[in-house]
Amino acid sequence: MDNAGQQFIGGKRRAGAASEELSIINPATGEVLATDTAASPDDVDEAVHAAHDAFPEWSGATPAERSEAMLRWADLLDQRQGELAAAESNNGGKPIKLAEGFDIPGVIDNVRFFAGAARNLDGKSAGEYSPEHTSSIRREPLGVVGSIAPWNYPLQMAAWKVLPAVAAGNTVVLKPSELTPLTSVMFAEAAQEAGIPDGVVNIVTGTGSTAGSALVGHSDVAMVSFTGSTAVGRQVAATAAGQVKRVHLELGGKAPFVVFDDADLEAAARGAVAGALINSGQDCTAATRAYVQRPLYEQFVARVAQLMNGVRMGPVDDPTTDMGSLISTAQRDRVAAMVERARKKGAAIACGGYVPDGPLADGAYYAPTLITDVAQDSEIVQQEVFGPVLVCLPFDSDDEALQLANDTPYGLAASAWTGGVFRAQRAAREIRAGCVWINDHIPIISEMPHGGYKASGFGKDMSAYSFDDYTNVKHVMSDITGDREKSWHDLVFTGR
Ligand code: NAD
């Protein structure tokens, strides 16, 4: 068991000072992986001070210096891929093949991308936009960024929060989920080994109500970057509003998956299974609502159910396991209760809908589940389940499909499945979501932005667009006439 402490403050790893105990477990087995005392408000304060003290040196480094340190960081993470993947898999209850093939390589590519992007901050070209002045743009870091991450992709979420901030010259205090801090601490330790100065990346592991709210409300935190549920995002935004503090919110999702009658049915069915079950469905962009045009509906339901029944749940360290557990028994019970409520209201369960018994009973497993015969306004269609559950509804016209796709409070991601270029373009244009995939669902890439519409939040993760959140654009306007009496002074006074 790892008891070295889950705090990394000013370059030192230690235990937290709060009275709350943290027990970090493998949710697939119930085994305790590490224990710690949680971060207290004093720990948060110390971390913010460390970040504040590190800011002048880090923001004063040249982009090339920051970039070189980040490239060394990427190389260290690369060398530790196996260790990171094992920790991510055990702490998240996710299959080792997902951690090895998606989480860890994605993070390393992100570090390399932001190492390059650090040298490419852009703005409008300097010039004479008035005949009497030269205007230029400075893009400046904000200071200390307070970041808060969820448990579903612990290291990827840490990377998405930390990398654009530090690439742009900010310093960061990251609060990972109290359930999944292990790889965030490893990430910060590697930053230090790569030569990134102490205090640039700090980790405070504690509960949302104690450490999270202390971080959001801290007067020396210039910006809060939050990824998590819409309910907590609202509280974070309310606190930040009181301090006129910048916020970046990546919140919940309820992605539609629209299958038109000219789609490749087999491609769509396979896409739906992978898109709904990735990370046991605990993915903010997961396919959750399949709308299928009536001629394909019955076949689609049958094929998805058949494929879902073939998904192998199992121990997370078994390379043949397709789907692991949920993050906790509490989350599993929440998912099971939502499915039960849908069933009581007349939903049909085409497959799954149960907690597996036998060898998996010690973990927080829930079977891949496909639900039909539900109303558009029902809870299971409107609310985020965050589990391996897909609902499927039929539609008749294209207008109806797009209206249904947009009919939830969320707008994070969506996909449209069609062989028709006009249909694809219309779906891309009319679905109100931060990402619309055509004939695929889930892939992400470091160069392209991730972020929401509507109750899914605002601000972009990944890509150069994220610098708009993590920098301030300053206009410098310099007189080029040398005149004491400027042409516009007459508008205010004419005195000699
Ligand atoms: P959550 O909102 O419960 O917690 C997220 C983080 O906020 C955790 O670190 C938690 O400790 C902290 N927190 C809780 N209360 C707080 C408070 N009052 N003040 C400050 N911090 C507080 O979410 P979760 O259950 O960890 O994660 C699942 C949610 O995250 C889902 O809704 C999912 O859609 C969302 N998510 C969104 C994205 C995205 O990019 N949009 C990505 C991943 C997850």
Side-chain angles (χ1 to χ4, degrees):
M1 201 194 305
D2 174 0
N3 285 330
Q6 302 303 321
Q7 320 299 329
F8 191 78
I9 299 174
K12 293 189 183 58
R13 186 162 174 189
R14 63 168 176 78
S19 52
E20 298 148 303
E21 289 284 333
L22 298 175
S23 204
I24 295 141
I25 67 160
N26 178 339
T29 59
E31 179 202 353
V32 177
L33 301 171
T35 58
D36 190 14
T37 37
S40 68
D42 284 346
D43 293 323
V44 171
D45 187 53
E46 195 180 322
V48 172
H49 276 107
H52 189 264
D53 291 348
F55 181 68
E57 182 190 348
W58 185 245
S59 59
T62 63
E65 286 165 342
R66 287 201 291 270
S67 174
E68 279 159 22
M70 291 180 76
L71 289 170
R72 290 194 296 272
W73 190 8
D75 289 344
L76 285 168
L77 296 169
D78 216 342
Q79 287 159 20
R80 293 173 197 170
Q81 284 213 37
E83 211 183 314
L84 286 162
E88 200 73 330
S89 164
N90 285 331
N91 196 186
K94 63 176 81 198
I96 189 69
K97 71 174 177 178
L98 184 66
E100 284 177 348
F102 181 59
D103 295 75
I104 310 305
V107 166
I108 294 166
D109 187 63
N110 245 260
V111 183
R112 295 209 166 104
F113 169 78
F114 277 108
R119 305 181 71 164
N120 257 315
L121 290 184
D122 63 4
K124 223 170 158 58
S125 58
E128 290 65 52
Y129 296 90
S130 117
E132 292 148 359
H133 304 91
T134 296
S135 284
S136 58
I137 288 295
R138 296 176 58 81
R139 198 179 262 280
E140 298 182 342
L142 306 166
V144 178
V145 175
S147 294
I148 297 181
W151 42 254
N152 59 339
Y153 291 107
L155 187 56
Q156 290 204 72
M157 294 302 102
W160 289 14
K161 305 274 94 180
V162 169
L163 295 171
V166 300
N170 301 283
T171 56
V172 177
V173 178
L174 169 75
K175 193 201 86 60
S177 165
E178 57 274 34
L179 301 177
T180 53
L182 301 184
T183 50
S184 296
V185 174
M186 293 162 80
F187 187 58
E189 284 180 325
Q192 182 186 47
E193 284 175 57
I196 293 177
D198 290 351
V200 174
V201 182
N202 305 277
I203 309 291
V204 289
T205 303
T207 60
S209 52
T210 303
S213 57
L215 184 58
V216 175
H218 199 293
S219 56
D220 285 338
V221 168
M223 167 185 174
V224 177
S225 179
F226 173 83
T227 299
S229 62
T230 298
V232 177
R234 276 197 191 97
Q235 294 172 33
V236 167
T239 305
Q243 302 178 347
V244 197
K245 188 176 278 184
R246 192 183 286 207
V247 279
H248 167 116
L249 299 174
E250 300 285 347
L251 308 176
K254 189 74 191 174
F257 184 103
V258 182
V259 184
F260 292 99
D261 58 9
D262 59 355
D264 177 332
L265 179 79
E266 179 64 13
R270 300 181 80 84
V273 173
L277 301 185
I278 185 166
N279 210 35
S280 301
Q282 302 163 120
D283 183 309
C284 50
T285 63
T288 60
R289 301 177 284 140
Y291 297 103
V292 183
Q293 205 151 14
R294 211 162 300 263
L296 297 188
Y297 180 76
E298 298 294 338
Q299 275 172 283
F300 180 86
V301 168
R303 183 64 178 140
V304 169
Q306 185 186 36
L307 289 168
M308 279 190 172
N309 281 326
V311 166
R312 296 162 297 186
M313 284 185 285
V316 294
D317 58 358
D318 179 340
T320 65
T321 291
D322 296 320
M323 202 178 93
S325 71
L326 300 189
I327 191 61
S328 62
T329 48
Q331 179 67 7
R332 180 201 60 197
D333 294 346
R334 197 184 143 271
V335 170
M338 282 182 90
V339 173
E340 267 334 288
R341 286 196 291 275
R343 202 192 313 246
K344 282 199 181 113
K345 292 206 159 164
I349 311 294
C351 77
Y354 62 89
V355 173
D357 51 17
L360 301 182
D362 288 340
Y365 287 83
Y366 194 77
T369 298
L370 177 65
I371 300 183
T372 62
D373 299 292
V374 285
Q376 172 67 16
D377 63 358
S378 61
E379 178 194 51
I380 201 93
V381 177
Q382 291 291 322
Q383 299 300 321
E384 200 176 30
V385 179
F386 231 54
V389 177
L390 177 69
V391 298
C392 189
L393 295 88
F395 70 87
D396 292 302
S397 71
D398 290 22
D399 286 351
E400 184 192 2
L402 297 174
Q403 185 269 324
L404 291 169
N406 282 327
D407 177 32
T408 72
Y410 299 107
L412 190 58
S415 64
W417 296 74
T418 172
V421 69
F422 296 123
R423 267 178 159 167
Q425 288 299 327
R426 183 176 174 204
R429 200 166 59 241
E430 293 189 18
I431 295 180
R432 301 204 24 91
C435 172
V436 178
W437 289 283
I438 305 295
N439 294 328
D440 207 344
H441 195 114
I442 288 297
I444 49 175
I445 195 82
S446 299
E447 289 82 352
M448 288 292 145
H450 169 94
Y453 279 38
K454 305 193 309 191
S456 294
F458 46 79
K460 297 295 177 197
D461 282 326
M462 304 199 296
S463 84
Y465 289 99
S466 62
F467 289 134
D468 291 340
D469 293 317
Y470 293 99
T471 56
N472 249 328
V473 172
K474 182 186 279 179
H475 172 206
V476 180
M477 195 171 197
S478 308
D479 171 70
I480 54 170
T481 65
D483 294 343
R484 286 188 172 144
E485 291 176 32
K486 313 288 188 203
S487 61
W488 66 275
H489 286 180
D490 277 353
L491 299 173
V492 184
F493 79 112
T494 53
R496 295 281 179 267

